[in-house]
Amino acid sequence: APMTPLNRPISPNRRYVVAHAELDAIKRVGRSHAGTVNDVVLAIVAGMLGRYLAAAGDGAFSAGGRPPVALVPVSVRGDDDAGEMGNRISTVFVDLPVFGHDLGDRIRAIAAQTSELKDSAAVRAGSLMLAASGWAPPMVSGMLARAMGQVRAFNLVVSNIPGPQQPFYLSGVRMAEVYPVVPLNPSNQCLSVGVVSYDGRVCFGVLADRDLDPPVSTAAAGLVAALGELQGAAG
C-alpha cells in the first residue's frame, strides 16, 4: 500500500466521529450501478478519503497515482454452514478509487474488484472460523497481528457488518442508532472505519489517533460530503 498521512505510529489517545445514511438509499444507488451495499459503503469511504488526502495536500494522491488500500473483512459462510455458531470470515484488499468525486464511478470500480475477489482461491484459503464470542483463537489472532504489523499491506480497515433491521429496546426505551469502533493498529494505522446497519440506517463510526494531521474532523467533513453525494444520487 502507498504511504499516506494515515500511516505512522500512533499515540494512546483517540478521537471518534459518527455519521449515518438511510439503508434504502444505499440499496437504490447500489442497484442503479450494479453494486452491493458493501460496494456503496466502500465508495462512500473512498469519497471521504479522497477529500481528506486533498486537504492534507499530499501531492502523491493525484489522478494516476497509487490508490490507498482498504482491508475489508468479508463473510465466506456458505449454505452448508447455515445455522452454525460463530462467523466464518476472510479478508480482501480493495483499492479505493479516491481520485474522482463521482459516486457512480467509484461504485462501479469497487464492484469490479469485489466481485472478482470474493470468488478467489486466496479468499477461501484465508478464511477463519471465529468463535461465537467473535474472537479468533489467540494463537491465530496473535500471528495475524504480528504479520500485519511488519508490512504496510493496507492503509486502513473498513469493516461493514449487517445488523438487525428491527428496533431494539432497553427498559422500554428504543435504541435509535448504533455505532461501531474498529481498533487501530498501533504500528502504522491512524484511522479506521466501522459500519453497522440497524433498523433502516447505516451508521458510520470513524476512529482516529488524536494527533492525526489533518485531524479527524477533516475526515468527518469528507464523510458528510460523500454522504451528500449519496443523497443526490438516491433522489
Side-chain angles (χ1 to χ4, degrees), residues 3-160:
M3 186 62 184
T4 77
L6 306 179
N7 303 118
R8 57 172 178 76
I10 61 177
S11 77
N13 304 302
R14 304 285 180 269
R15 295 195 189 281
Y16 185 68
V17 296
V18 301
H20 67 260
E22 297 304 315
L23 180 58
D24 283 346
I26 287 181
K27 288 181 175 179
R28 287 199 305 274
V29 172
R31 285 194 297 268
S32 67
H33 296 286
T36 65
V37 168
N38 199 48
D39 294 332
V40 179
V41 165
L42 289 172
I44 291 169
V45 173
M48 175 196 79
L49 193 55
R51 291 170 171 86
Y52 178 86
L53 294 172
D58 194 328
F61 289 93
S62 57
R66 291 178 60 198
V69 179
L71 172 69
V72 183
V74 294
S75 173
V76 292
R77 181 182 292 279
D79 293 338
D80 294 341
D81 303 320
E84 292 185 9
M85 296 292 289
N87 299 298
R88 186 176 292 278
I89 67 165
S90 187
T91 55
V92 296
F93 296 97
V94 179
D95 294 342
L96 296 179
V98 300
F99 304 124
H101 288 334
D102 185 87
L103 178 62
D105 288 347
R106 296 199 305 270
I107 294 170
R108 288 187 290 272
I110 289 170
Q113 291 185 70
T114 56
S115 62
E116 182 178 350
L117 287 168
K118 288 174 186 175
D119 295 328
S120 70
V123 169
R124 293 192 298 273
S127 65
L128 291 173
M129 175 61 81
L130 302 190
S133 63
W135 296 99
M139 183 179 70
V140 174
S141 58
M143 287 191 298
L144 284 173
R146 287 193 296 275
M148 291 303 183
Q150 299 303 313
V151 62
R152 190 174 64 248
F154 54 93
N155 298 106
L156 76 164
V157 176
V158 182
S159 178
N160 177 28

